[in-house]
Amino acid sequence: MENERIKVLIGDDSASNGVKVAAKLRESGMIAYTRRNNGRAILDSILNDKPDVVMADLTLPDTDALLLIKHVRESLVSVPSFIVVSEIDNSFIERQVMENGAAYFLVKPYDIESIPSIVKSICRKSVQSSCADMEILVTEVIQKLGVPAHIKGYHYLRTAILSAVENARLMECVTKQLYPSVAQKYDTTSSRVERAIRHAIEIAWDRGNAEMINDFFGYSADSYRGRPTNSEFIALVTDRIRLRLKTSIIPS
């Protein structure tokens, strides 16, 4: 999100507030637009327009923000961050809002000048959280597959998978794009990266967790012919990591 403009949906189309908030966000270089203060209208916009941040009142004419967040989580893989606005400054309400998935609790009346910095802070935290979750998942998966942490191939493989999760296009040309990107980070060559990753996969296949390998690759680790290539291994693990991140399940 650092290289893209942040898109913000304001669930308030009033000239007195929503329009002013949107204008202030646009001044800060963001994409901002308003919708009616209505749960259905806000939900439809979230599903169609895919905003990064949604600003909505806690109490809506046809629902409330907590149910709205629940519906969005059931409908989308990539869920926007929610700023929930309340007319009541109450610690119990704030706790309920945050525990139900909101990123920020904002009490009316609020300073419109502060909204851009709040949105940017939320987006930074969201990116950091996603990166941390992804690193944890990748590390757990390759360790449980049996790749030893002390060899160079472990670090190269881990970086390659993280890079591929972040940028799927790298898998379109592993030799010319993915290996060089990994090599650059470790001040080495693409050929050394390729060999080290191949060695790491061989060790995992020969000495690793057969049950985990079978679960991931769908066939027995006893078969030498069945051992995947570097590209196959990285691609399959990358797909599984993406699925884990979407469903927020840590592999067991």
Side-chain angles (χ1 to χ4, degrees):
M1 194 179 297
E2 291 179 355
N3 298 321
E4 298 178 3
R5 294 174 68 190
I6 298 169
K7 184 189 291 187
V8 186
L9 161 60
I10 300 106
D12 178 357
D13 60 355
S14 69
S16 61
N17 194 69
V19 173
K20 291 181 180 178
V21 171
K24 180 56 62 177
L25 290 169
R26 291 189 198 109
E27 287 178 11
S28 298
M30 303 182 204
I31 300 170
Y33 61 99
T34 64
R35 289 293 182 267
R36 296 192 314 278
N37 184 32
N38 174 281
R40 184 72 251 176
I42 296 172
L43 179 59
D44 286 345
S45 181
I46 292 171
L47 298 179
N48 294 325
D49 303 319
K50 306 295 192 299
D52 301 303
V53 178
V54 177
M55 189 171 174
D57 285 347
L58 174 59
T59 304
L60 299 163
D62 54 343
T63 185
D64 63 56
L66 303 188
L67 281 174
L68 180 63
I69 294 172
K70 182 175 182 291
H71 288 320
V72 172
R73 286 184 161 179
E74 291 172 349
S75 304
L76 291 178
V77 170
S78 181
V79 179
S81 300
F82 280 82
I83 298 174
V84 174
V85 184
S86 174
E87 294 183 350
I88 303 173
D89 187 1
N90 180 287
S91 59
F92 175 76
I93 294 175
E94 179 178 2
R95 187 166 65 252
Q96 289 291 105
V97 166
M98 299 303 288
E99 287 178 353
N100 279 275
Y104 200 89
F105 181 73
L106 188 63
V107 180
K108 293 182 179 179
Y110 53 82
D111 180 12
I112 291 178
E113 298 287 334
S114 69
I115 301 301
S117 63
I118 290 172
V119 170
K120 289 177 183 177
S121 175
I122 288 171
C123 289
R124 280 196 298 271
K125 289 178 181 177
S126 175
V127 170
Q128 291 167 357
S129 176
S130 297
C131 290
D133 290 344
M134 185 167 63
E135 289 181 12
I136 290 169
L137 282 168
V138 172
T139 300
E140 289 193 357
V141 165
I142 62 175
Q143 285 181 348
K144 289 180 178 180
L145 284 172
V147 180
H150 67 278
I151 61 175
K152 286 183 178 180
Y154 168 92
H155 301 285
Y156 297 163
L157 182 59
R158 182 174 179 272
T159 300
I161 294 168
L162 285 168
S163 298
V165 172
E166 292 177 346
N167 183 3
R169 291 183 179 179
L170 290 173
M171 291 305 302
E172 295 174 4
C173 194
V174 172
T175 302
K176 292 184 178 180
Q177 295 184 37
L178 184 58
Y179 291 157
S181 71
V182 175
Q184 186 176 15
K185 292 179 182 179
Y186 290 93
D187 192 25
T188 186
T189 65
S190 295
S191 59
R192 287 175 179 171
V193 167
E194 187 276 330
R195 286 197 301 271
I197 289 178
R198 177 159 30 94
H199 178 60
I201 294 171
E202 288 173 354
I203 292 176
W205 208 254
D206 294 338
R207 312 176 198 170
N209 186 327
E211 184 178 347
M212 186 81 169
I213 289 172
N214 185 60
D215 177 54
F216 258 70
F217 299 97
Y219 41 73
S220 172
D222 294 335
S223 171
Y224 179 85
R225 289 184 179 180
R227 186 170 65 216
T229 64
N230 289 9
S231 297
E232 290 171 340
F233 188 98
I234 294 168
L236 192 51
V237 173
T238 296
D239 286 343
R240 292 294 293 268
I241 292 296
R242 286 201 185 102
L243 179 61
R244 301 288 189 182
L245 289 170
K246 287 178 181 179
T247 55
S248 299
I249 298 174
I250 304 294
S252 58

